[in-house]
Amino acid sequence: MKTLFLLFISVMCALGSMAQKLKAADRKQLQVREDSLKAYADSMINARSAGKRFLSDSNFVRSFVRALKTPYSFDYPFDSVTSVSMLYPADSTFRIMTWQLKKDEYMYLQKGAIQMRTTDGSLRLFPLFDASMFTAKPIDSVRSRKNWIGAIYYKVIQKEWQGRKYYTLLGFDGFTVSSNRKWMEVLSFDPQSGEPVFGGPYFVVSPDSAKKSQVQNRFSIEYKKEASTTFNYSEDKDMVIFDHLISESDEPNRPETFIPDGDFEGFQWKDGKWVQIKKVFTEVPDEFKNVDPLLGNAPADDAIRDKEGNIDEKKLEERSRKNDEKSREKVKPKPKKTGGGNQ
């Protein structure tokens, strides 16, 4: 026990000393860059024209990479850029950053990057390229960063099996004009190249029918756009818990009609796999209920982080809906003036 305690103290001291290596002058410069990044990030979603949204995305990516090239930028949180999800695993060996670009009224493009912690403060960055629109069967493949299934991640869960670390990502995707998706994805790193690997035979899924359990490379739920669903990790139960969905119109082949029915399913980590549990309980745990978000001076309704700084999945859904409504309002034609004279 004493040995573990001393190991914990040494690790925390090492991390603390690394955080101190971000120079005051560099921190000040990053704060200036952060203001520009915040404006570009807002424009990627809310600009009226597609051309301006894409230009803002291009400016955001270039500015972000320049900022990340600052020595020891890993220790700078970019807290005010609230539309970018920035998650760290328990071991803080990397952070995964995800955001979205509004392509048109019907589609969002997911963007992302993984920044690795380095001992000398240099930048080691893996850009992520969303291939969702070119993928007919996304649950059947192991993927690299070059054909990633895009999502805005709101939770990372660190697990180990046979001496290797696995990082389970929970994410949101405003999939179509009528439905959303939530993803459960296992991220690992290739032992030889260090490259990120998305997916693998880590999900033992039990169909609703009498079919035998199936092994999948990732897992998702798809549901009606207006529905609000739970899909998150319970620390108390050490399980990923999510709503059981049914079709509100008795059309099981149309996910855009799916809504929660009050029951909950889950996944438990067993022997290096997430094994599905078909029925967990019938009341959502307190830790899943919304709390008042708090992020700097941002209005509560606009923040997507809770009091502990974690991404709130339900706020993420609500933000997506508000962005849709705001952008549609902006493109409505203005009423023409009537009457004659000098009006």
Side-chain angles (χ1 to χ4, degrees), residues 135-191:
T135 304
K137 296 181 178 180
I139 64 172
D140 294 338
S141 53
V142 178
R143 294 176 171 265
S144 73
R145 61 187 176 91
K146 296 179 180 179
N147 59 353
W148 166 62
I149 300 298
I152 307 297
Y153 296 125
Y154 54 85
K155 187 70 175 179
V156 56
I157 308 154
Q158 182 176 322
K159 296 290 184 182
E160 290 192 25
W161 173 247
Q162 294 184 339
R164 189 174 176 187
K165 294 180 180 179
Y166 298 91
Y167 306 93
T168 300
L169 302 166
L170 304 182
F172 170 81
D173 176 23
F175 182 50
T176 70
V177 70
S178 56
S179 67
N180 291 330
R181 278 180 174 175
K182 286 184 178 176
W183 284 101
M184 187 173 175
E185 173 89 79
V186 172
L187 166 67
S188 58
F189 291 89
D190 185 273

Side-chain angles (χ1 to χ4, degrees), residues 119-331:
T119 55
D120 63 356
S122 62
L123 177 62
R124 190 182 186 196
L125 190 70
F126 296 112
L128 307 178
F129 300 96
D130 185 8
S132 301
M133 67 181 73
F134 310 112
T135 304
K137 296 181 178 180
I139 64 172
D140 294 338
S141 53
V142 178
R143 294 176 171 265
S144 73
R145 61 187 176 91
K146 296 179 180 179
N147 59 353
W148 166 62
I149 300 298
I152 307 297
Y153 296 125
Y154 54 85
K155 187 70 175 179
V156 56
I157 308 154
Q158 182 176 322
K159 296 290 184 182
E160 290 192 25
W161 173 247
Q162 294 184 339
R164 189 174 176 187
K165 294 180 180 179
Y166 298 91
Y167 306 93
T168 300
L169 302 166
L170 304 182
F172 170 81
D173 176 23
F175 182 50
T176 70
V177 70
S178 56
S179 67
N180 291 330
R181 278 180 174 175
K182 286 184 178 176
W183 284 101
M184 187 173 175
E185 173 89 79
V186 172
L187 166 67
S188 58
F189 291 89
D190 185 273
Q192 280 72 46
S193 66
E195 284 272 340
V197 178
F198 291 92
Y202 305 122
F203 296 91
V204 180
V205 177
S206 303
D208 287 330
S209 64
K211 295 180 181 178
K212 293 183 178 180
S213 295
Q214 304 167 353
V215 177
Q216 295 179 185
N217 287 304
R218 58 185 52 80
F219 180 81
S220 72
I221 61 171
E222 185 177 349
Y223 55 95
K224 184 178 179 179
K225 199 78 172 179
E226 294 77 15
S228 179
T229 61
T230 290
F231 197 127
N232 218 324
Y233 178 66
S234 168
E235 296 279 355
D236 290 342
K237 292 185 175 294
D238 191 21
M239 292 178 63
V240 173
I241 296 172
F242 58 97
D243 282 295
H244 181 263
L245 303 176
I246 59 171
S247 171
E248 64 180 349
S249 54
D250 198 22
E251 297 175 277
N253 295 321
R254 295 184 59 207
E256 67 272 20
T257 68
F258 287 7
I259 59 172
D261 69 350
D263 283 343
F264 293 89
E265 304 180 49
F267 280 101
Q268 282 187 324
W269 182 257
K270 295 180 180 180
D271 299 330
K273 296 185 186 298
W274 286 106
V275 179
Q276 188 174 6
I277 309 298
K278 292 302 293 182
K279 192 177 182 67
V280 180
F281 44 56
T282 57
E283 183 177 351
V284 66
D286 289 340
E287 65 195 280
F288 280 10
K289 295 177 181 177
N290 287 334
V291 295
D292 292 333
L294 189 63
L295 184 64
N297 294 321
D301 287 344
D302 190 48
I304 58 172
R305 290 180 171 88
D306 63 19
K307 290 180 179 179
E308 285 71 41
N310 300 312
I311 300 295
D312 187 320
E313 54 165 332
K314 293 188 182 299
K315 285 289 180 182
L316 193 57
E317 286 182 287
E318 183 62 23
R319 170 72 66 83
S320 179
R321 282 196 289 270
K322 285 183 178 180
N323 286 337
D324 278 336
E325 292 168 4
K326 187 187 295 184
S327 59
R328 290 193 180 100
E329 188 66 28
K330 285 186 176 182
V331 298

